PDB file of all heavy atoms in Angstrom:
ATOM      1  N   LYS A1023      -6.972  12.257 -59.441  1.00 99.00           N
ATOM      2  CA  LYS A1023      -6.654  11.244 -60.456  1.00 99.00           C
ATOM      3  C   LYS A1023      -6.507   9.906 -59.753  1.00 99.00           C
ATOM      4  O   LYS A1023      -5.673   9.743 -58.871  1.00 99.00           O
ATOM      5  CB  LYS A1023      -5.349  11.618 -61.168  1.00 99.00           C
ATOM      6  CG  LYS A1023      -4.775  10.492 -62.051  1.00 99.00           C
ATOM      7  CD  LYS A1023      -3.495  10.909 -62.761  1.00 99.00           C
ATOM      8  CE  LYS A1023      -2.855   9.728 -63.506  1.00 99.00           C
ATOM      9  NZ  LYS A1023      -1.585  10.091 -64.180  1.00 99.00           N
ATOM     10  N   ASP A1028      -0.978   2.366 -64.073  1.00 99.00           N
ATOM     11  CA  ASP A1028      -0.726   3.045 -65.344  1.00 99.00           C
ATOM     12  C   ASP A1028       0.400   2.331 -66.096  1.00 99.00           C
ATOM     13  O   ASP A1028       1.578   2.592 -65.860  1.00 99.00           O
ATOM     14  CB  ASP A1028      -0.351   4.515 -65.084  1.00 99.00           C
ATOM     15  CG  ASP A1028      -0.053   5.274 -66.378  1.00 99.00           C
ATOM     16  OD1 ASP A1028      -0.388   4.750 -67.464  1.00 99.00           O
ATOM     17  OD2 ASP A1028       0.500   6.388 -66.289  1.00 99.00           O
ATOM     18  N   GLY A1030       0.710   2.701 -69.203  1.00 98.00           N
ATOM     19  CA  GLY A1030       0.917   3.531 -70.388  1.00 98.00           C
ATOM     20  C   GLY A1030      -0.104   3.195 -71.463  1.00 98.00           C
ATOM     21  O   GLY A1030      -0.323   3.974 -72.375  1.00 98.00           O
ATOM     22  N   LYS A1035       4.643   1.977 -71.349  1.00 98.00           N
ATOM     23  CA  LYS A1035       5.829   2.502 -70.663  1.00 98.00           C
ATOM     24  C   LYS A1035       6.963   1.486 -70.773  1.00 98.00           C
ATOM     25  O   LYS A1035       6.713   0.299 -70.983  1.00 98.00           O
ATOM     26  CB  LYS A1035       5.513   2.702 -69.175  1.00 98.00           C
ATOM     27  CG  LYS A1035       4.648   3.891 -68.865  1.00 98.00           C
ATOM     28  CD  LYS A1035       4.461   4.038 -67.357  1.00 98.00           C
ATOM     29  CE  LYS A1035       3.543   5.195 -67.021  1.00 98.00           C
ATOM     30  NZ  LYS A1035       4.087   6.520 -67.395  1.00 98.00           N
ATOM     31  N   MET A1043       3.913   2.481 -60.806  1.00 98.00           N
ATOM     32  CA  MET A1043       2.641   3.021 -61.327  1.00 98.00           C
ATOM     33  C   MET A1043       1.421   2.444 -60.621  1.00 98.00           C
ATOM     34  O   MET A1043       0.284   2.787 -60.921  1.00 98.00           O
ATOM     35  CB  MET A1043       2.559   2.835 -62.837  1.00 98.00           C
ATOM     36  CG  MET A1043       3.466   3.795 -63.594  1.00 98.00           C
ATOM     37  SD  MET A1043       3.049   5.526 -63.283  1.00 98.00           S
ATOM     38  CE  MET A1043       4.480   6.061 -62.363  1.00 98.00           C
ATOM     39  N   ASP A1046      -0.355   5.438 -59.031  1.00 99.00           N
ATOM     40  CA  ASP A1046      -0.847   6.519 -59.891  1.00 99.00           C
ATOM     41  C   ASP A1046      -2.260   6.978 -59.505  1.00 99.00           C
ATOM     42  O   ASP A1046      -2.911   7.698 -60.240  1.00 99.00           O
ATOM     43  CB  ASP A1046      -0.790   6.069 -61.356  1.00 99.00           C
ATOM     44  CG  ASP A1046      -0.634   7.235 -62.329  1.00 99.00           C
ATOM     45  OD1 ASP A1046      -0.203   8.316 -61.892  1.00 99.00           O
ATOM     46  OD2 ASP A1046      -0.946   7.050 -63.519  1.00 99.00           O
ATOM     47  N   ASN A1103      -0.891  10.197 -77.237  1.00 98.00           N
ATOM     48  CA  ASN A1103      -0.136   9.239 -76.442  1.00 98.00           C
ATOM     49  C   ASN A1103      -1.067   8.670 -75.375  1.00 98.00           C
ATOM     50  O   ASN A1103      -1.594   9.428 -74.548  1.00 98.00           O
ATOM     51  CB  ASN A1103       1.052   9.977 -75.802  1.00 98.00           C
ATOM     52  CG  ASN A1103       2.022   9.038 -75.111  1.00 98.00           C
ATOM     53  OD1 ASN A1103       1.614   8.028 -74.519  1.00 98.00           O
ATOM     54  ND2 ASN A1103       3.299   9.350 -75.186  1.00 98.00           N
ATOM     55  N   ASP A1105      -0.381   7.162 -72.883  1.00 98.00           N
ATOM     56  CA  ASP A1105       0.222   7.276 -71.543  1.00 98.00           C
ATOM     57  C   ASP A1105      -0.055   8.643 -70.907  1.00 98.00           C
ATOM     58  O   ASP A1105       0.213   8.852 -69.735  1.00 98.00           O
ATOM     59  CB  ASP A1105       1.730   7.028 -71.655  1.00 98.00           C
ATOM     60  CG  ASP A1105       2.372   6.746 -70.308  1.00 98.00           C
ATOM     61  OD1 ASP A1105       1.616   6.480 -69.335  1.00 98.00           O
ATOM     62  OD2 ASP A1105       3.615   6.789 -70.227  1.00 98.00           O
ATOM     63  N   ALA A1106      -0.576   9.574 -71.678  1.00 99.00           N
ATOM     64  CA  ALA A1106      -0.991  10.858 -71.080  1.00 99.00           C
ATOM     65  C   ALA A1106      -2.465  10.729 -70.708  1.00 99.00           C
ATOM     66  O   ALA A1106      -3.326  11.470 -71.193  1.00 99.00           O
ATOM     67  CB  ALA A1106      -0.743  12.005 -72.049  1.00 99.00           C
ATOM     68  N   GLU A1107      -2.741   9.737 -69.853  1.00 99.00           N
ATOM     69  CA  GLU A1107      -4.126   9.365 -69.542  1.00 99.00           C
ATOM     70  C   GLU A1107      -4.722  10.163 -68.390  1.00 99.00           C
ATOM     71  O   GLU A1107      -5.932  10.314 -68.293  1.00 99.00           O
ATOM     72  CB  GLU A1107      -4.201   7.865 -69.232  1.00 99.00           C
ATOM     73  CG  GLU A1107      -3.886   7.442 -67.789  1.00 99.00           C
ATOM     74  CD  GLU A1107      -2.469   7.756 -67.343  1.00 99.00           C
ATOM     75  OE1 GLU A1107      -1.599   7.949 -68.229  1.00 99.00           O
ATOM     76  OE2 GLU A1107      -2.219   7.839 -66.135  1.00 99.00           O
ATOM     77  N   GLY A1108      -3.841  10.672 -67.514  1.00 99.00           N
ATOM     78  CA  GLY A1108      -4.341  11.360 -66.320  1.00 99.00           C
ATOM     79  C   GLY A1108      -5.200  12.563 -66.681  1.00 99.00           C
ATOM     80  O   GLY A1108      -6.276  12.778 -66.118  1.00 99.00           O
ATOM     81  N   ARG A1109      -4.727  13.332 -67.651  1.00 99.00           N
ATOM     82  CA  ARG A1109      -5.476  14.540 -68.034  1.00 99.00           C
ATOM     83  C   ARG A1109      -6.807  14.176 -68.687  1.00 99.00           C
ATOM     84  O   ARG A1109      -7.769  14.943 -68.611  1.00 99.00           O
ATOM     85  CB  ARG A1109      -4.604  15.431 -68.931  1.00 99.00           C
ATOM     86  CG  ARG A1109      -4.252  14.847 -70.257  1.00 99.00           C
ATOM     87  CD  ARG A1109      -3.050  15.537 -70.893  1.00 99.00           C
ATOM     88  NE  ARG A1109      -1.780  15.113 -70.276  1.00 99.00           N
ATOM     89  CZ  ARG A1109      -0.585  15.584 -70.627  1.00 99.00           C
ATOM     90  NH1 ARG A1109      -0.483  16.501 -71.576  1.00 99.00           N
ATOM     91  NH2 ARG A1109       0.499  15.142 -70.033  1.00 99.00           N
ATOM     92  N   THR A1133      -0.902  12.630 -59.840  1.00 99.00           N
ATOM     93  CA  THR A1133       0.459  12.211 -60.185  1.00 99.00           C
ATOM     94  C   THR A1133       0.518  12.304 -61.708  1.00 99.00           C
ATOM     95  O   THR A1133       0.451  11.311 -62.414  1.00 99.00           O
ATOM     96  CB  THR A1133       0.696  10.771 -59.714  1.00 99.00           C
ATOM     97  OG1 THR A1133      -0.408   9.947 -60.134  1.00 99.00           O
ATOM     98  CG2 THR A1133       0.814  10.693 -58.201  1.00 99.00           C
ATOM     99  N   LEU A1134       0.612  13.553 -62.197  1.00 99.00           N
ATOM    100  CA  LEU A1134       0.279  13.786 -63.598  1.00 99.00           C
ATOM    101  C   LEU A1134       1.445  13.662 -64.572  1.00 99.00           C
ATOM    102  O   LEU A1134       1.283  13.095 -65.651  1.00 99.00           O
ATOM    103  CB  LEU A1134      -0.390  15.166 -63.761  1.00 99.00           C
ATOM    104  CG  LEU A1134      -1.220  15.319 -65.043  1.00 99.00           C
ATOM    105  CD1 LEU A1134      -2.416  14.382 -65.040  1.00 99.00           C
ATOM    106  CD2 LEU A1134      -1.690  16.751 -65.223  1.00 99.00           C
ATOM    107  N   THR A1135       2.599  14.210 -64.215  1.00 98.00           N
ATOM    108  CA  THR A1135       3.692  14.207 -65.200  1.00 98.00           C
ATOM    109  C   THR A1135       5.054  13.885 -64.583  1.00 98.00           C
ATOM    110  O   THR A1135       5.377  14.319 -63.470  1.00 98.00           O
ATOM    111  CB  THR A1135       3.831  15.592 -65.885  1.00 98.00           C
ATOM    112  OG1 THR A1135       4.274  16.556 -64.931  1.00 98.00           O
ATOM    113  CG2 THR A1135       2.534  16.042 -66.519  1.00 98.00           C
ATOM    114  N   GLY A1136       5.850  13.153 -65.337  1.00 98.00           N
ATOM    115  CA  GLY A1136       7.249  12.976 -64.969  1.00 98.00           C
ATOM    116  C   GLY A1136       7.979  14.310 -65.034  1.00 98.00           C
ATOM    117  O   GLY A1136       8.943  14.552 -64.300  1.00 98.00           O
ATOM    118  N   ALA A1137       7.487  15.193 -65.898  1.00 98.00           N
ATOM    119  CA  ALA A1137       8.157  16.483 -66.109  1.00 98.00           C
ATOM    120  C   ALA A1137       8.191  17.344 -64.849  1.00 98.00           C
ATOM    121  O   ALA A1137       9.100  18.160 -64.677  1.00 98.00           O
ATOM    122  CB  ALA A1137       7.464  17.236 -67.245  1.00 98.00           C
ATOM    123  N   MET A1139       8.892  16.392 -61.991  1.00 98.00           N
ATOM    124  CA  MET A1139      10.084  15.989 -61.228  1.00 98.00           C
ATOM    125  C   MET A1139      11.355  16.550 -61.845  1.00 98.00           C
ATOM    126  O   MET A1139      12.333  16.814 -61.151  1.00 98.00           O
ATOM    127  CB  MET A1139      10.169  14.480 -61.153  1.00 98.00           C
ATOM    128  CG  MET A1139       9.197  13.905 -60.144  1.00 98.00           C
ATOM    129  SD  MET A1139       9.338  12.130 -60.062  1.00 98.00           S
ATOM    130  CE  MET A1139       8.072  11.677 -61.207  1.00 98.00           C
ATOM    131  N   ASN A1193      -3.594  15.416 -76.370  1.00 98.00           N
ATOM    132  CA  ASN A1193      -3.273  15.103 -74.966  1.00 98.00           C
ATOM    133  C   ASN A1193      -1.785  15.038 -74.689  1.00 98.00           C
ATOM    134  O   ASN A1193      -1.365  14.823 -73.550  1.00 98.00           O
ATOM    135  CB  ASN A1193      -3.967  13.814 -74.512  1.00 98.00           C
ATOM    136  CG  ASN A1193      -3.270  12.562 -75.010  1.00 98.00           C
ATOM    137  OD1 ASN A1193      -2.632  12.575 -76.070  1.00 98.00           O
ATOM    138  ND2 ASN A1193      -3.387  11.485 -74.253  1.00 98.00           N
ATOM    139  N   SER A1194      -0.967  15.233 -75.723  1.00 98.00           N
ATOM    140  CA  SER A1194       0.479  15.209 -75.498  1.00 98.00           C
ATOM    141  C   SER A1194       1.115  16.142 -76.509  1.00 98.00           C
ATOM    142  O   SER A1194       0.732  16.137 -77.682  1.00 98.00           O
ATOM    143  CB  SER A1194       0.990  13.774 -75.673  1.00 98.00           C
ATOM    144  OG  SER A1194       2.397  13.760 -75.653  1.00 98.00           O
ATOM    145  N   CYS A1195       2.051  16.973 -76.029  1.00 96.00           N
ATOM    146  CA  CYS A1195       2.589  17.979 -76.938  1.00 96.00           C
ATOM    147  C   CYS A1195       4.096  18.145 -76.815  1.00 96.00           C
ATOM    148  O   CYS A1195       4.604  19.257 -76.774  1.00 96.00           O
ATOM    149  CB  CYS A1195       1.891  19.327 -76.761  1.00 96.00           C
ATOM    150  SG  CYS A1195       0.677  19.450 -75.462  1.00 96.00           S
ATOM    151  N   GLY A1196       4.797  17.069 -76.727  1.00 91.00           N
ATOM    152  CA  GLY A1196       6.254  17.160 -76.770  1.00 91.00           C
ATOM    153  C   GLY A1196       6.883  17.396 -75.412  1.00 91.00           C
ATOM    154  O   GLY A1196       6.191  17.597 -74.412  1.00 91.00           O
ATOM    155  N   ALA A1223       3.295  14.168 -58.719  1.00 98.00           N
ATOM    156  CA  ALA A1223       4.032  12.976 -59.168  1.00 98.00           C
ATOM    157  C   ALA A1223       5.337  12.777 -58.389  1.00 98.00           C
ATOM    158  O   ALA A1223       5.766  11.648 -58.165  1.00 98.00           O
ATOM    159  CB  ALA A1223       4.323  13.077 -60.668  1.00 98.00           C
ATOM    160  N   GLY A1224       5.959  13.883 -57.949  1.00 98.00           N
ATOM    161  CA  GLY A1224       7.237  13.764 -57.250  1.00 98.00           C
ATOM    162  C   GLY A1224       7.114  13.642 -55.741  1.00 98.00           C
ATOM    163  O   GLY A1224       8.095  13.308 -55.063  1.00 98.00           O
ATOM    164  N   MET A1227       4.742   9.724 -53.894  1.00 98.00           N
ATOM    165  CA  MET A1227       5.403   8.431 -53.699  1.00 98.00           C
ATOM    166  C   MET A1227       6.892   8.543 -53.959  1.00 98.00           C
ATOM    167  O   MET A1227       7.339   9.425 -54.684  1.00 98.00           O
ATOM    168  CB  MET A1227       4.793   7.388 -54.629  1.00 98.00           C
ATOM    169  CG  MET A1227       4.787   7.801 -56.080  1.00 98.00           C
ATOM    170  SD  MET A1227       3.394   7.098 -56.935  1.00 98.00           S
ATOM    171  CE  MET A1227       3.777   7.559 -58.612  1.00 98.00           C
TER     172      MET A1227
HETATM  173  N1  LIG B1959       1.423   8.682 -64.236  1.00 59.68           N
HETATM  174  C1  LIG B1959       2.290   9.270 -65.180  1.00 59.68           C
HETATM  175  C2  LIG B1959       3.188  10.338 -64.566  1.00 59.68           C
HETATM  176  C3  LIG B1959       4.175   9.876 -63.538  1.00 59.68           C
HETATM  177  C4  LIG B1959       5.450   9.502 -63.917  1.00 59.68           C
HETATM  178  C5  LIG B1959       3.836   9.828 -62.214  1.00 59.68           C
HETATM  179  C6  LIG B1959       6.354   9.075 -62.974  1.00 59.68           C
HETATM  180  C7  LIG B1959       4.743   9.422 -61.257  1.00 59.68           C
HETATM  181  C8  LIG B1959       6.006   9.035 -61.635  1.00 59.68           C
HETATM  182  C9  LIG B1959       1.490   9.904 -66.308  1.00 59.68           C
HETATM  183  O1  LIG B1959       0.307   9.272 -66.626  1.00 59.68           O
HETATM  184  C10 LIG B1959       2.341   9.857 -67.530  1.00 59.68           C
HETATM  185  O2  LIG B1959       2.612   8.787 -67.988  1.00 59.68           O
HETATM  186  N2  LIG B1959       2.725  11.025 -68.021  1.00 59.68           N
HETATM  187  C11 LIG B1959       3.531  11.118 -69.177  1.00 59.68           C
HETATM  188  C12 LIG B1959       2.925  12.173 -70.074  1.00 59.68           C
HETATM  189  C13 LIG B1959       3.507  12.231 -71.449  1.00 59.68           C
HETATM  190  C14 LIG B1959       3.191  10.955 -72.208  1.00 59.68           C
HETATM  191  C15 LIG B1959       2.956  13.434 -72.165  1.00 59.68           C
HETATM  192  C16 LIG B1959       4.935  11.501 -68.731  1.00 59.68           C
HETATM  193  O3  LIG B1959       5.075  12.257 -67.768  1.00 59.68           O
HETATM  194  O4  LIG B1959       5.874  11.011 -69.323  1.00 59.68           O
END
Side-chain angles (χ1 to χ4, degrees):
K1023 168 179 174 182
D1028 179 14
K1035 285 183 182 295
M1043 286 300 112
D1046 207 20
N1103 188 324
D1105 196 14
E1107 85 297 340
R1109 65 199 77 181
T1133 48
L1134 201 65
T1135 67
M1139 283 181 266
N1193 78 331
S1194 171
C1195 4
M1227 54 211 187

